Amino acid sequence: MSLQSWFKNGWLRKQEPNCRQIVQSLEASIRDVEASQHSQLPLEWQFSIAYNAILQAATAALSASGYRASRDSPHYRILKSLSHTIGLPNSTVDVLDKYRKKRHESVYEKVGAVSQNEAESIIKLAQEIHELVVEWMKREHKEIAAEFSKKR
């Protein structure tokens, strides 16, 4: 399926890319990558902050592509869209979906649900995805990448 197919299914809505908002999402992503690495934070917080970094980067890529998630499963759609925007392998997108479920569990259902290994793994992945999105922006949306570079 493509983003256009998702739009036809009602899973996405079209929106005009807004450079300022996309840059703000990229800034939030790198801020959260950095914040998630504070070892004095509880593992659940590190995990959630890294998850948010990934979500912000994915939102930036989806927005630059001219879409936003509909109200039906927005986190799922935003993360899954990375395979269509930046070409993230499906195997990595599957890992992101596991992390989405883990974040839900740790926030809403079970204290202590996140292991040290899981926290370290998502933090590393958040940094990688942020970098991949920025590199994709440099290739596909040069004006957005240039604005983001000015802020860094």
Side-chain angles (χ1 to χ4, degrees):
M1 276 195 157
S2 65
L3 293 178
Q4 184 63 31
S5 298
W6 285 19
F7 170 72
K8 288 179 183 176
N9 287 336
W11 301 336
L12 298 177
R13 298 186 190 275
K14 287 194 178 197
Q15 76 173 22
E16 193 64 34
N18 180 310
C19 184
R20 184 181 57 78
Q21 288 177 340
I22 295 167
V23 168
Q24 286 175 343
S25 289
L26 290 172
E27 290 173 333
S29 175
I30 195 62
R31 176 205 65 206
D32 288 352
V33 165
E34 292 167 357
S36 70
Q37 296 176 33
H38 291 278
S39 60
Q40 74 275 16
L41 292 174
L43 293 176
E44 287 86 0
W45 287 19
Q46 289 178 320
F47 190 95
S48 289
I49 294 168
Y51 173 86
N52 194 62
I54 295 168
L55 198 62
Q56 290 293 334
T59 297
L62 188 59
S63 295
S65 298
Y67 296 99
R68 66 181 173 89
S70 68
R71 293 183 184 255
D72 177 37
S73 305
H75 286 206
Y76 174 79
R77 301 284 176 217
I78 292 167
L79 296 174
K80 193 86 168 155
S81 73
L82 286 167
S83 65
H84 300 293
T85 54
I86 68 168
L88 197 66
N90 285 330
S91 58
T92 306
V93 173
D94 291 344
V95 170
L96 292 177
D97 193 47
K98 288 178 186 173
Y99 286 158
R100 179 184 64 83
K101 293 172 184 174
K102 174 63 79 168
R103 180 215 161 252
H104 181 88
E105 178 186 13
S106 71
V107 170
Y108 300 109
E109 297 172 9
K110 183 178 170 186
V111 174
V114 175
S115 70
Q116 181 75 38
N117 188 47
E118 289 168 323
E120 290 171 359
S121 180
I122 195 172
I123 291 167
K124 181 180 178 204
L125 187 55
Q127 188 163 10
E128 290 171 4
I129 288 174
H130 174 82
E131 291 169 4
L132 288 170
V133 169
V134 170
E135 289 303 313
W136 175 80
M137 290 283 182
K138 288 177 182 176
R139 287 190 313 276
E140 303 295 327
H141 301 279
K142 291 175 178 51
E143 69 287 350
I144 296 169
E147 278 300 310
F148 177 65
S149 292
K150 286 181 192 176
K151 303 277 185 172
R152 296 294 303 155

